[in-house]
């Protein structure tokens, strides 16, 4: 890769930040498949950068969400513990697949990422938030204080919420953390539906809690990449400021744009990246 | 927002801002000081291999990667003092999980 490509990556990451903010997805789920599909960068560096990017996006919003009362520290920590449980194992499996099985292992990971991205695009296309069912909080949820009240300015009323179905959601969050570590894609695309549909949290609380949880939940996976020597500071320097700028610009654009149109654009972009990823990797996979 | 949450969010936020600044400055300085070496390093990113972190850029990466530990440590200590045991337990659990990854408990044999 040419050093000038870092400048291109910077502007590309601004676009990722804008699209991600407007469409309500983290940067990693766009960055990782697109860079893997259209550049020759090594897969491990791309995945570690994708994870860092998702966590950076989280670091910039966590303050705002907690200040607005849209999430509680206890709730955020619970989700982070579950995600962290799978994250480090996922990163290790992802690195091991490439290390032990060479080009074939890398092709398997790329094709699986392509399939995952298609699934995410389908979820994004069809997911409709529901009014959460009345919270059936168990003893553990009460003991951990996974409940609260927040003021919804749009509805102009206070909304009470409580987390239900803890065992199921813990398992699902761990699985998302695992995939996050393997593919370096963050996990907002899955965390929000789980928080909303499984735990029964109101959508705004689900979005805020999920986004705020990346910075803690994905960190073990990032440390596995860091300890293995797969974190390149120059890549982070090119991508992180771009995403930070893009997220701020995207948040402003979001207020004036029809979110549905942008969502379709993002879904189409993800599908294009997924198809390219699979098409590029299939010959290696079938060639053995 | 109570003091504990305020400290937690500020540690995370400012550490991220500082790490971005350090990473950008150190990368620009490296590229200016040794353009050929920098170009070779970037070119090598397409061929795999591993990166040995060093200098100012390593500092940028470690500020970012260690900030959650610092923030969780503060949260755990303040929660124990306030007798808010649920948050203390969850933050200590997470602290242990991140520490295990940091200390290399999850290793990939070559």
């Amino acid at each position: 890769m040419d050093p000038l490509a870092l400048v291109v990556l910077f502007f590309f990451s601004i676009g990722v930040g804008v699209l991600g903010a407007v469409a309500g997805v983290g940067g990693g789920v766009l960055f990782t498949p697109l860079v893997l599909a259209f550049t020759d960068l090594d897969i491990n560096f791309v995945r570690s950068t994708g994870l860092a990017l998702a966590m950076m996006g989280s670091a910039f919003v966590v303050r705002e969400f907690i200040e607005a009362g849209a999430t509680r520290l206890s709730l955020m920590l619970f989700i982070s513990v579950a995600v962290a449980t799978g994250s480090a194992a996922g990163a290790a499996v992802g690195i091991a697949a490439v290390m032990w099985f060479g080009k074939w292992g890398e092709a398997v990971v790329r094709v699986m990422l392509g399939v995952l991205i298609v699934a995410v695009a389908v979820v994004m296309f069809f997911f409709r938030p529901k009014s959460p069912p009345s919270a059936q909080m168990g003893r553990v949820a009460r003991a951990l204080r996974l409940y609260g009240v927040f003021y919804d300015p749009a509805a102009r009323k206070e909304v009470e919420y409580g987390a239900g179905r803890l065992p199921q959601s813990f398992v699902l969050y761990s699985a998302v953390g695992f995939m996050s570590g393997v593919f370096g894609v963050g996990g907002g695309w899955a965390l929000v539906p789980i928080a909303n549909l499984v735990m029964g949290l109101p959508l705004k609380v689900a979005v805020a809690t999920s986004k705020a949880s990346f910075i803690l939940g994905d960190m073990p996976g990032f440390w596995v990449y860091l300890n293995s020597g797969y974190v390149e500071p120059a890549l982070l320097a090119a991508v992180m400021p771009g995403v930070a700028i893009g997220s701020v610009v995207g948040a402003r654009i979001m207020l004036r744009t029809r979110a549905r149109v942008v969502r379709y654009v993002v879904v189409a972009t993800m599908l294009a990246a997924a198809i390219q990823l699979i098409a590029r990797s299939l010959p290696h996979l079938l060639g053995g | 927002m109570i003091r504990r949450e305020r400290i937690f969010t500020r540690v995370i936020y400012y550490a991220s801002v500082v790490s971005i600044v350090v990473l950008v400055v150190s990368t620009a300085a490296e590229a200016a000081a040794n353009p050929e070496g920098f170009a070779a390093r970037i070119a090598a990113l397409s061929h795999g291999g591993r990166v040995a972190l060093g200098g100012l850029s390593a500092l940028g990466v470690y500020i970012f990667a260690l900030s959650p530990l610092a923030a969780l440590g503060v949260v755990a200590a303040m929660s124990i003092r306030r007798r808010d045991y649920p948050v203390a337990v969850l933050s200590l659990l997470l602290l242990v999980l991140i520490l295990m990854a940091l200390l290399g408990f999850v290793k990939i044999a070559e």
Side-chain angles (χ1 to χ4, degrees):
Chain A
M1 194 176 85
D2 191 82
L4 274 179
L6 291 179
V7 180
V8 177
L9 266 183
F10 168 72
F11 287 108
F12 169 72
S13 60
I14 292 179
V16 166
V18 171
L19 276 179
V22 177
V25 294
V29 78
L30 283 170
F31 175 86
T32 305
L34 282 170
V35 172
L36 281 178
F38 297 104
T39 72
D40 59 353
L41 271 174
D42 180 66
I43 188 168
N44 288 319
F45 291 114
V46 177
R47 288 186 296 188
S48 67
T49 309
L51 265 187
L53 203 140
M55 290 188 294
M56 182 59 74
S58 168
F60 276 93
V61 298
V62 65
R63 185 177 165 191
E64 201 176 312
F65 285 146
I66 290 185
E67 270 178 13
T71 184
R72 281 195 71 160
L73 200 54
S74 54
L75 203 52
M76 203 182 119
L77 288 171
F78 173 79
I79 293 178
S80 300
V81 167
V83 173
T85 310
S87 170
V93 167
I95 294 172
V98 176
M99 194 187 286
W100 293 343
F101 301 106
K103 284 282 173 203
W104 188 81
E106 186 176 331
V108 170
V109 174
R110 282 172 183 262
V111 168
M112 283 171 65
L113 174 61
V115 172
L116 176 73
I117 294 300
V118 171
V120 173
V122 170
V123 169
M124 276 185 68
F125 195 79
F126 289 107
F127 171 63
R128 298 284 177 272
K130 286 184 180 172
S131 299
S134 55
Q136 294 286 324
M137 279 196 301
R139 269 188 299 181
V140 178
R142 281 182 209 286
L144 293 175
R145 296 185 192 150
L146 304 180
Y147 53 84
V149 179
F150 90 103
Y151 179 73
D152 186 348
R156 292 181 184 172
K157 64 175 182 181
E158 288 195 328
V159 179
E160 282 187 37
Y161 62 87
R165 302 191 191 98
L166 290 198
Q168 295 97 316
S169 50
F170 192 94
V171 171
L172 288 170
Y173 282 130
S174 299
V176 173
F178 183 83
M179 286 192 276
S180 201
V182 173
F183 301 117
V185 291
W189 47 273
L191 296 189
V192 175
I194 295 170
N196 181 236
L197 302 177
V198 181
M199 288 181 103
L201 298 176
L203 187 65
K204 285 183 183 173
V205 177
V207 171
T209 309
S210 303
K211 283 216 162 192
S213 300
F214 292 146
I215 183 67
L216 301 173
D218 282 339
M219 195 50 93
F222 183 73
W223 267 106
V224 173
Y225 282 106
L226 187 56
N227 284 337
S228 306
Y230 293 126
V231 173
E232 170 53 54
L235 273 182
L236 298 185
V239 164
M240 281 177 159
V243 168
I245 294 168
S247 302
V248 174
V249 174
R252 289 184 184 172
I253 291 176
M254 186 177 70
L255 300 173
R256 282 175 268 154
T257 317
R258 291 177 66 186
R260 184 179 285 187
V261 175
V262 181
R263 229 172 156 74
Y264 291 152
V265 172
V266 171
V267 167
T269 309
M270 287 165 73
L271 285 174
I275 291 166
Q276 170 74 357
L277 252 179
I278 295 169
R280 271 182 73 172
S281 311
L282 269 183
H284 292 288
L285 195 64
L286 300 174
Chain B
M1 189 160 63
I2 62 173
R3 195 158 155 252
R4 181 184 65 185
E5 271 82 349
R6 197 181 306 134
I7 293 174
F8 172 78
T9 55
R10 284 188 184 177
V11 168
I12 298 272
Y13 179 81
Y14 288 115
S16 302
V17 173
V18 170
S19 70
I20 285 183
V21 172
V22 173
L23 280 167
V24 171
V25 169
S26 63
T27 304
E30 277 176 43
N34 180 10
E36 287 85 16
F38 185 74
R41 208 179 91 197
I42 299 303
L45 291 180
S46 302
H47 310 297
R50 294 170 189 240
V51 171
L53 292 181
L56 200 58
S57 58
L59 182 69
V61 175
Y62 284 119
I63 288 173
F64 176 66
L66 290 171
S67 62
L69 282 176
L72 283 170
V74 171
V75 167
M78 292 181 81
S79 302
I80 291 169
R81 212 170 63 182
R82 286 181 51 191
R83 297 187 181 185
D84 185 355
Y85 295 118
V87 171
V89 168
L90 287 170
S91 49
L92 284 173
L93 200 55
L94 197 50
L95 203 65
V96 169
L97 285 170
I98 298 178
L99 269 174
M100 280 170 66
L102 185 160
L103 296 173
F105 274 68
V106 186
K107 269 191 178 165
I108 302 103
E110 289 201 55

Coordinates of all heavy atoms in Angstrom, one line a residue, chain A residues 96 156 168 190 223:
Chain A
A96 N -6.1 -17.0 14.7 CA -5.6 -18.4 14.6 C -6.0 -19.0 13.2 O -5.3 -19.7 12.6 CB -6.2 -19.3 15.7
R156 N -42.4 13.6 25.4 CA -42.6 14.5 26.5 C -43.2 13.8 27.8 O -44.2 14.2 28.4 CB -43.6 15.6 26.1 CG -43.0 16.6 25.1 CD -43.9 17.7 24.8 NE -43.4 18.5 23.8 CZ -44.1 19.5 23.1 NH1 -45.3 19.7 23.5 NH2 -43.5 20.2 22.2
Q168 N -30.9 -15.4 28.4 CA -30.9 -15.4 26.9 C -30.1 -14.3 26.3 O -29.3 -14.4 25.4 CB -32.3 -15.3 26.4 CG -33.2 -16.5 26.8 CD -34.1 -16.2 28.0 OE1 -33.6 -15.6 29.0 NE2 -35.3 -16.6 28.0
A190 N -26.4 -5.8 15.9 CA -27.1 -6.9 16.7 C -27.5 -6.5 18.1 O -28.5 -6.9 18.6 CB -26.2 -8.1 16.7
W223 N -7.2 -5.9 22.6 CA -6.0 -6.2 23.2 C -5.3 -7.5 22.7 O -4.1 -7.6 22.6 CB -6.2 -6.4 24.8 CG -5.9 -5.1 25.5 CD1 -6.8 -4.3 26.0 CD2 -4.6 -4.5 25.7 NE1 -6.2 -3.2 26.6 CE2 -4.9 -3.3 26.4 CE3 -3.3 -4.8 25.4 CZ2 -3.9 -2.4 26.8 CZ3 -2.3 -4.0 25.8 CH2 -2.6 -2.8 26.4

